[in-house]
Amino acid sequence: MTVRRSELARRRKAQGLSQEQLAEALHVDRITVYRWEAGRNEPQPYLWPKLAALLGISRSELVQLLSPQPGAFPTPPAATPLSGAQDTEHLAKALTDSARFFDGPIIGYFELQLRTYMSYDGTEGPRTALPGVLGLLRAVKDNAREVPHRVRGDLLRFGAKSAEFAGWLYRDLQETAAARFWHDRATEWAQEAGDLPFQGYVLLKR
């Protein structure tokens, strides 16, 4: 069961922003802002600095507003989802100092987010799913070279899976150049991670 983030909505209204205006400023859909406030999901971390500025609060205050509620997400195999302000702050640290803070639970959190976007594709179509998937891919790209060696392979495997999914979303949208780009990136990351079966799968599906 999710819990509505009433304080997040209150902060938005205090700044004189509608859901549509906040969405436009962040380059997301209005339904995305609605889902944040409804507690159904949360903003991609790369949006946090701008979101905090638009709401007139500090990043630590935003972390408190976005803290997931216990039981809001299922637990994937061999991964513990982030929960509570402390873990959400850990995510923020991992994305600004990946060499020190990036670890398995962060990748587990990314996996949960990807599952959410995959469900959006099934229920609401590729345009709804794509922005979140691209946010995850940006996190992989920005951090893959800096993360500790012990988690780099897992991050690249996750990146390959996300890139392959992005390729299919673009193909559904009939944007063949973008689809080809992400399928190529999926192949490269799978090869770099040493995941030859997935590399073969991507090549076969293309």
Side-chain angles (χ1 to χ4, degrees):
M1 179 180 178
T2 58
V3 177
R4 294 189 65 85
R5 297 186 177 106
S6 300
E7 181 63 15
L8 185 62
R10 190 189 72 77
R11 295 276 186 167
R12 170 181 57 76
K13 293 173 184 176
Q15 296 299 109
L17 295 169
S18 66
Q19 288 183 340
E20 291 84 355
Q21 289 169 327
L22 182 61
E24 183 177 356
L26 294 169
H27 305 291
V28 299
D29 293 332
R30 186 203 65 81
I31 192 66
T32 300
V33 174
Y34 164 77
R35 290 193 185 102
W36 298 343
E37 295 180 355
R40 292 178 56 184
N41 65 354
E42 63 186 54
Q44 286 293 313
Y46 74 88
L47 290 173
W48 292 0
K50 188 170 184 180
L51 177 57
L54 288 167
L55 296 177
I57 58 178
S58 67
R59 192 171 71 176
S60 61
E61 289 175 308
L62 180 63
V63 166
Q64 293 289 335
L65 294 182
L66 298 178
S67 295
Q69 299 298 317
F73 303 110
T75 303
T80 302
L82 304 177
S83 61
Q86 183 176 1
D87 284 342
T88 309
E89 183 66 25
H90 174 58
L91 173 62
K93 289 179 179 178
L95 294 174
T96 55
D97 189 355
S98 55
R100 292 179 59 197
F101 296 104
F102 211 104
D103 53 18
I106 299 296
I107 299 174
Y109 171 80
F110 284 176
E111 291 277 3
L112 289 171
Q113 292 294 298
L114 181 61
R115 291 184 187 184
T116 298
Y117 301 133
M118 286 179 169
S119 72
Y120 289 171
D121 178 42
T123 60
E124 301 175 50
R127 289 197 186 279
T128 300
L130 190 57
V133 177
L134 293 177
L136 292 174
L137 287 166
R138 177 177 174 179
V140 173
K141 177 180 178 293
D142 289 350
N143 293 281
R145 298 296 175 189
E146 304 296 329
V147 298
H149 180 73
R150 67 181 184 278
V151 297
R152 187 166 184 270
D154 289 337
L155 180 61
L156 289 172
R157 276 187 284 274
F158 168 78
K161 180 166 62 174
S162 301
E164 192 268 343
F165 181 53
W168 283 104
L169 293 176
Y170 274 118
R171 198 179 82 158
D172 287 346
L173 293 169
Q174 299 183 344
E175 298 184 28
T176 56
R180 189 178 307 113
F181 172 85
W182 285 113
H183 281 138
D184 287 346
R185 182 55 60 89
T187 302
E188 293 167 8
W189 280 342
Q191 182 178 24
E192 197 170 349
D195 192 340
L196 298 183
F198 191 77
Q199 181 185 7
Y201 167 80
V202 176
L203 292 171
L204 180 64
K205 294 288 284 186
R206 289 179 62 184

